[in-house]
Amino acid sequence: MAAYNIAVISGDGIGVEIVREARRALDAAAAKEGFSLKYNEFLMGGAAIDAVGVPLPDETLEGAKNADAVLFGAIGGTKWDNLPRHLRPESGLLALRKGLDAFANLRPVQVFDALIDASTLKADVVRGVDLLVVRELVGGIYFGEPKGREGGKAFNTMVYTEREVERIAHIAFKAALKRRRKVCSVDKANVLDVSQLWRETVSRVAQEYPTVELSHMYVDNAAMQLVRAPKQFDVIVTGNLFGDILSDEASMISGSIGLLPSSSQGVRGGIFEPIHGSAPDIAGQGIANPLATILSAAMLCEHALGEIGAARRIENAVRTALEQGYRTPDIASYGAVKRCSTEEMGAVVVKLINESK
Ligand code: IPM
Ligand code: MG
């Protein structure tokens, strides 16, 4: 029987609640498919700052490196907002991504038919949307040097090397080959040198994928097109900051940021996390939507473990739960629904996985 090691980082805020449900879904899918999972829990973010004084303890990075995959919840909270930047919870996550060289962040945006009316956009606009944001995750302005503050001035540097752009472009084109064979590269090449290099490099890599259609779009236009006509997109490839912003925007096509999973592939394994944050305002109330994390667990099975059957069981269970009307509060104000808590939603998903053929 295959056995996998999963590093679990619940983090802060709703992290603990949503990761708990994702683990239950993973266990149910593993039992069905006949593999086993061993979880090792590690601290990161505010929880780590409180316990040991740093946002990413060495032990956590080591544990993540030695695992087959990392399942992560969310980090951050007002309690730690006033710390210097390198000691903030977010720095822990950035250092983890960097430490694992998890450069390829995949953020699929799908619209569940049952939730068409949950989107703030018109049904006709969102029905059938199926796009993938491929976000470069360990470069760009998030990590560029120099950065810092000097007197009344502060600065960050947006920097990309050809090599960094090439490797994320290959990920995007390969993903497109398995989809509708369209890549839209998003940049700001009318203003930024770094975007000119980005554009040239993506165009060069495109020559290796003659069956994939490449287009380029400025990020401001892309932000507008995403709400105007999201169906035009198949794969969007972009840098770290633009990808961060556009993926939050794109999540509202699906109805709630509580629905969007992500995978960040690196040297091995990868990090699997919802795209949303730690939502301190609702932490501990048992009302957070666990589906983004549960769907991230499905991505973990597929991308890190190669357990496609388990991934499909989890995804199908989520779809069915929504079709049956189960709704956490973030998606509950639409139509006749069965309002449920974080735990109840998790339980429904587990039950559906257990019943799956
Ligand atoms: C995300 C988050 C992170 C990011 C934060 C928490 C550092 O917004 O995963 O999208 O900016 O990458
Ligand atoms: Mg973000």
Side-chain angles (χ1 to χ4, degrees), residues 75 90 93-94 97 107 135 137 142 240 244 247-248 273-276:
I75 38 133
E90 289 81 358
L93 175 57
L94 298 183
R97 290 170 176 172
R107 299 186 158 186
R135 169 186 175 197
L137 202 61
Y142 272 55
N240 206 342
D244 179 46
S247 58
D248 264 35
E273 53 172 310
I275 80 153
H276 61 71

Side-chain angles (χ1 to χ4, degrees), residues 238-310:
T238 190
N240 206 342
L241 180 63
F242 298 159
D244 179 46
I245 299 167
L246 292 181
S247 58
D248 264 35
E249 187 192 5
S251 75
M252 280 319 291
I253 299 170
S254 73
S256 168
I257 196 166
L259 293 167
L260 252 65
S262 84
S263 100
S264 306
Q265 291 165 234
V267 268
R268 80 178 268 248
I271 308 169
F272 299 83
E273 53 172 310
I275 80 153
H276 61 71
S278 57
D281 52 323
I282 60 162
Q285 296 176 33
I287 58 171
N289 188 343
L291 294 182
T293 318
I294 291 175
L295 290 169
S296 301
M299 292 186 88
L300 184 157
C301 291
E302 176 161 356
H303 295 278
L305 312 182
E307 296 284 355
I308 317 278

Side-chain angles (χ1 to χ4, degrees), residues 14 18 57-58 84 93 96 107 117 125 135 164 189-190 200 233 289 291 304 335 347:
I14 59 171
I18 56 182
D58 293 343
L93 175 57
L96 178 74
R107 299 186 158 186
D117 294 320
V125 174
R135 169 186 175 197
E164 286 173 313
N190 51 344
E200 288 159 21
F233 295 109
N289 188 343
L291 294 182

